[in-house]
């Protein structure tokens, strides 16, 4: 089967890696891909946000399945354009992608279908937001309504931080994403994620994972796209996991009511495990990053079979089986991330790290320069994933692999996965 993956990050490398292991894979393309996907597939210069370019490539190369990695092509309606040509797509249509594209839309969906979540208010002016802030007080959470690459959330413990967060949104810190602001009750408890394959009103849930959003050790510093993750999540007991699975199943059923084409792809449920039970913080309409880098290595069955079954609405044919071992992934970032950073730094040691048993190095912000050297090209450069029978083993193996990789300004957290201990 010929497959096209859209995207260029660590998530897309992990998805491509999983697909490449299938016995049924034919030609495998990634648009635009990165330095890691180039080693296992063919990178192509197709703009994943340009429907005409994507459709033309699909037709020319006999693509039978398109897997959409990032949120932006989904919100732009790329899935709709490809499906209109009769080609299978793993990823929801544009209307359903608004579950991630607009936080207020997502909150309205949750409330309409009695999915447990925090109280909130949608604000369209600075004055309205400030008035509501002073009505409810801090602590509070301020969110840019639109897509902000995982960085449009301000967790405010005091009013000064909350007011600054609201102003930053309306002052354009997150571009058009901040033109509308959602102010939300702050829930208390551990966070974790549950991803689920969705097709035609049914959900097939994956193992839980937990990421580390803050830039520095001890969950200090600014929010990032994610500095590491681990799976499974020891604090999620059987009762809590069942409650989360029920929420995802209810959400899957609701998609058949609200969206004409239903929902075929993956739905990411971001949960807070409150004293009252798990509550939704957010939905994403795609795999998480870096959660994908710990979930895909735990998928012991054929990824292509699963993705094609979802795309064709045959969720009972997924046949997903999961490796019971622990997985930990550590992000190696450019110096200065999530602020400004330099690109073009030569990367060494990846081969030594990848040669270790039960270690996979996924590329994110990498490229090949004119001299043929692998160099940094983004904020999050690599994610180093290790498996182990215990979390202690997986953590030790991941950091041993990280020590083998070097580039100027390399930045990483040293406490990824330690919550699991």
């Amino acid at each position: 089967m010929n497959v096209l993956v859209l995207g260029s990050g660590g998530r897309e490398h992990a998805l491509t890696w999983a697909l490449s292991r299938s016995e049924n894979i034919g030609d495998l393309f990634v648009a635009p891909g990165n330095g890691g996907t180039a080693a296992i597939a063919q990178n192509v210069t197709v703009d994943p946000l340009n429907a005409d370019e994507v459709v033309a490539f699909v037709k020319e190369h006999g693509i039978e399945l398109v897997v959409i990695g990032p949120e932006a092509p989904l919100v732009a309606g790329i899935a709709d354009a490809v499906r209109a040509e009769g080609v299978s797509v793993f990823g929801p249509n544009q209307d359903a992608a608004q579950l991630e594209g607009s936080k207020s839309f997502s909150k309205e969906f949750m409330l309409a279908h009695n999915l447990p979540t925090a109280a909130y208010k949608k604000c369209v002016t600075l004055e309205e937001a400030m008035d509501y802030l002073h009505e409810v007080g801090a602590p509070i959470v301020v969110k840019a309504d639109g897509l902000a690459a995982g960085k449009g959330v301000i967790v405010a413990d005091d009013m000064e931080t909350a007011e600054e967060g609201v102003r930053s949104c309306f002052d354009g810190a997150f571009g058009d994403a901040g033109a509308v602001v959602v102010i939300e009750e702050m829930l208390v408890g551990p966070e974790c994620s549950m991803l689920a394959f969705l097709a035609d009103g049914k959900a097939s849930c994956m193992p839980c994972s937990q990421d580390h959003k803050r830039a520095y050790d001890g969950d200090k510093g600014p929010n990032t796209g994610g500095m590491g993750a681990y799976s499974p999540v020891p604090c999620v007991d059987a009762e809590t996991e069942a409650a989360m699975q029920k929420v995802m199943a209810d959400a899957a059923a609701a998609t058949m009511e609200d969206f004409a084409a239903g929902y075929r792809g993956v739905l990411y449920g971001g949960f807070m495990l409150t004293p009252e039970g798990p509550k939704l913080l957010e939905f994403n309409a795609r795999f998480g990053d870096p959660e994908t880098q710990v979930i895909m290595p735990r998928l012991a069955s054929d990824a292509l079979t699963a993705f094609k079954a979802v795309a064709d609405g045959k969720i009972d044919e997924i046949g997903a089986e999961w490796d019971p071992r622990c997985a930990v992934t550590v992000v190696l970032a450019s110096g200065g991330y999530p602020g400004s950073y330099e690109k073009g730094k030569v990367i060494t040691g990846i081969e030594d790290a990848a040669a270790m048993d039960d270690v996979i190095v996924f590329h994110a912000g990498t490229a090949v320069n004119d001299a043929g050297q692998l160099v940094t090209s983004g904020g999050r450069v690599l994610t180093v994933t290790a498996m182990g029978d215990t979390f202690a083993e997986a953590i030790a193996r991941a950091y041993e692999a990280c020590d083998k990789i070097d580039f100027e300004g390399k930045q990483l957290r040293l406490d990824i996965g330690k919550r699991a201990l």
Side-chain angles (χ1 to χ4, degrees), residues 76-271:
I78 302 302
D80 306 62
V82 176
R83 284 196 175 99
E85 300 297 326
V87 176
S88 297
V89 180
F90 184 92
N93 278 8
Q94 186 175 37
D95 58 350
Q98 285 303 304
L99 287 174
E100 178 169 6
S102 167
K103 293 181 179 65
S104 58
F105 179 95
S106 183
K107 295 292 286 189
E108 289 161 9
F109 174 88
M110 294 174 194
L111 293 177
H113 297 285
N114 297 312
L115 304 176
T117 190
Y120 80 103
K121 183 174 177 63
K122 172 184 175 182
C123 302
V124 297
T125 66
L126 177 62
E127 294 74 19
E128 182 184 16
M130 289 299 186
D131 287 346
Y132 186 68
L133 272 185
H134 289 102
E135 177 186 331
V136 296
I140 200 77
V141 181
V142 177
K143 298 181 177 181
D145 184 69
L147 297 178
K151 302 183 186 69
V153 177
I154 300 97
V155 179
D157 292 318
D158 53 69
M159 286 296 290
E160 182 181 358
T161 305
E163 291 175 357
E164 183 182 336
V166 166
R167 289 193 190 94
S168 69
C169 289
F170 285 113
D171 287 346
F174 306 107
D176 292 342
V180 173
V181 171
V182 171
I183 299 176
E184 189 172 281
E185 168 195 9
M186 183 183 286
L187 300 177
V188 177
E191 281 189 50
C192 75
S193 307
M194 177 173 279
L195 288 82
F197 294 113
L198 256 65
D200 294 351
K202 296 180 181 179
S204 175
C205 295
M206 305 180 206
C208 292
S209 58
Q210 191 170 62
D211 76 342
H212 299 65
K213 296 293 288 184
R214 300 285 185 144
Y216 311 130
D217 288 6
D219 291 328
K220 306 294 184 184
N223 267 341
T224 70
M227 294 299 292
Y230 62 91
S231 177
V233 182
C235 70
V236 177
D237 58 25
E239 182 181 353
T240 303
E241 185 171 27
M244 295 166 69
Q245 290 173 342
K246 183 181 185 306
V247 171
M248 298 304 287
D250 289 346
T255 62
M256 293 301 288
E257 298 178 31
D258 286 24
F259 309 122
Y263 191 113
R264 294 183 180 180
V266 67
L267 184 66
Y268 171 120
F271 285 88

Side-chain angles (χ1 to χ4, degrees), residues 209-212 226-231 289-294 327-331 384 391 416-417:
S209 58
Q210 191 170 62
D211 76 342
H212 299 65
M227 294 299 292
Y230 62 91
S231 177
D289 186 342
E291 293 93 338
T292 310
Q293 290 92 301
V294 288
V328 173
T329 194
V330 180
V331 171
V384 180
F391 274 112
I416 302 300

